[in-house]
Amino acid sequence: MTEKRPPYDLLIRGGTIIDGTKAPRFQADIGITDGRIAAIGRLDGHGADETIDATGLIVAPGFIDSHTHDDQAVLSQGLMPFKISQGVTTVITGNCGISAAPLRADMDLPMPLNLIDAPAEGRFTTFAAYLDALRHTPSSVNVAAMVGHSTLRGVTMSDLDRPATGEEIAAMRAHVEEAMAAGAIGMSTGTFYATATNATTEEIIEVGRPLGACGAVYVTHMRDESDKIMEAMEESFAIGRALGVPVVLSHHKAMHAPNFGKTKVTLPLIQETMKHQCVALDCYPYTAGSTMIRADRGMLDGRVLIASSEPHPECAGRDLADIAADWGVSKHDAALRLQPGSAIYFMMDEDDVQRVLAFDETMIGSDGIPLGDKPHPRLWGTFPRVLGHYSRDVGLFPLETAVWKMTGLTARNFGLDRRGTLKIGQHADMVLFDAATIRDAANYETPARPAEGIDTVIVNGAVTWRQGVHTGARSGQVITRMEKAAG
């Protein structure tokens, strides 16, 4: 008599497994039960409530976006098609010093805090309230959230154009303690922006004191990514040493033509520093960045493409130079008229982008801003662009390495122990894609186009994207530091 084997909830048959560890690919089936990987191997004879034929497809861990500004979007745009469609199953939020909590309803959010589009009604005064809202109204992706230092300055200080006082530092530190207790995975800073430019190194260290006892991370959009990048890096490393925590350098780059090629110096410094303390970095695979509309001269030297503008929404998708010419004003004055809003800045060299991408320890982060009809194409195309263009077409690294950079490496650096690899017991976050056809379809003219070659995306065992269509599943979970202890 043949033994009757209990069926899996979902069975993926015949795929080629790239498991997120950089190990060579192999053929296997995967059985999923209760949102977890239950078996990997030859599963002939096993039944399932649902079976997916993955013949000819790569089966990889769901991609982890190491750098997002999806803090509010995971609530207001919960289906998250711009992430799910490219295989992203987990987003790290709260970057660049900007987070959705804590905020006050009476706060007038200065740039760049307004990039997360947090409406006055329903703002979260505590980090716990924000995470509870995500649990009550799940997104289609998992969320691991950080608290932002600029947000803390905004909620605590009446004037951001100065260093914080001792009393204000203590108030901010109390907010960090609350966020850590709620499950935040770390704290980020954005000293590049006016909201935190006047924060001293000592202020950041004292505000971040609770991080060390919690095993949290310190993530930074540094003060300078151009002429003074080396000094900014040294400050970031010093903060990590003072707090005894890992440091993540956000969207590593060398901005503006006089600094092109400087990654030949920055990357060796990072590599040397890694021998003495925990340091990580991420980047996006484009020569253009995107942030709020800025009027300072350095940001306006190259091509600037307007992505969104509150006072002039009709200008989205147009070059700033053309708008300025039509209005008969300088680019500086046109930028002021267009604020608040977001823009795309062409300010990097392709050789630097490839050098940072190829650096072995570089994670992949989109840094997309989910606002308006003309966002930076990285919002929709980052991960397929790495897999298709840079891995397959340019040959920058093998596919196993590309997958590791957006899964296992990211999970390791952010302490997401149960994500990022395909192993028995892991959460069943997966993406099935065609290695021969995967590519980013989004570009600067049509930036909101789903990627090609993504067949299926699974989040916590639920099929969420299938052959170009969102299933409507919203099975994302809140990932906290406590998940590591819970197992």
Side-chain angles (χ1 to χ4, degrees), residues 50-216:
E50 182 180 359
T51 299
I52 295 175
D53 181 2
T55 302
L57 299 175
I58 300 295
V59 181
F63 306 144
I64 303 171
D65 193 337
S66 66
H67 189 104
T68 82
H69 294 286
D70 296 333
D71 306 59
Q72 193 67 31
V74 288
L75 291 168
S76 62
Q77 306 175 57
L79 292 180
M80 301 292 287
F82 45 89
K83 292 298 168 70
I84 285 292
S85 65
Q86 58 177 311
V88 171
T89 59
T90 298
V91 296
I92 309 293
T93 65
N95 285 284
C96 296
I98 309 164
S99 59
L103 293 172
R104 298 192 315 269
D106 63 345
M107 285 179 66
D108 182 17
L109 299 183
M111 295 186 291
L113 299 186
N114 56 4
L115 290 179
I116 61 170
D117 198 29
E121 65 278 5
R123 287 182 185 169
F124 305 101
T125 57
T126 66
F127 212 82
Y130 171 63
L131 296 185
D132 284 345
L134 280 171
R135 294 185 182 100
H136 181 72
T137 309
S139 165
S140 288
V141 297
N142 304 305
V143 180
M146 297 182 290
V147 64
H149 169 248
S150 289
T151 296
L152 298 177
R153 293 189 109 232
V155 80
T156 302
M157 301 172 62
S158 58
D159 178 11
L160 302 183
D161 295 329
R162 59 171 174 77
T165 65
E167 184 177 354
E168 290 163 341
I169 288 172
M172 286 189 273
R173 185 164 57 237
H175 283 300
V176 174
E177 290 172 347
E178 186 275 329
M180 294 301 107
I185 64 169
M187 182 184 83
S188 75
T189 56
T191 44
F192 173 76
Y193 295 107
T195 46
T197 298
N198 291 291
T200 64
T201 305
E202 292 72 23
E203 174 187 319
I204 296 168
I205 291 170
E206 292 307 316
V207 169
R209 285 293 180 193
L211 301 179
C214 300

Side-chain angles (χ1 to χ4, degrees), residues 252-254 259-271 281-287 348-364 390 394 396-397 405:
H252 189 59
K253 66 174 79 70
N259 297 292
F260 289 175
K262 196 172 277 189
T263 56
K264 294 177 183 177
V265 181
T266 63
L267 292 173
L269 174 59
I270 292 170
Q271 194 162 38
L281 71 160
D282 65 54
C283 77
Y284 47 80
Y286 298 87
T287 56
M348 288 169 279
D349 179 64
E350 176 66 17
D351 288 345
D352 281 321
V353 171
Q354 292 196 23
R355 195 174 293 116
V356 176
L357 277 171
F359 185 68
D360 194 49
E361 294 289 323
T362 300
M363 304 177 287
I364 307 302
Y390 283 107
V394 177
L396 209 53
F397 31 64
K405 284 174 170 289

Side-chain angles (χ1 to χ4, degrees), residues 422-462:
L422 298 182
K423 297 178 181 178
I424 292 174
Q426 297 286 76
H427 290 276
D429 297 336
M430 301 181 200
V431 54
L432 284 58
F433 64 90
D434 186 336
T437 64
I438 191 168
R439 75 175 190 94
D440 54 313
N443 54 42
Y444 294 105
E445 289 72 37
T446 53
R449 295 173 63 185
E452 298 175 4
I454 300 286
D455 182 273
T456 304
V457 181
I458 299 164
V459 183
N460 294 306

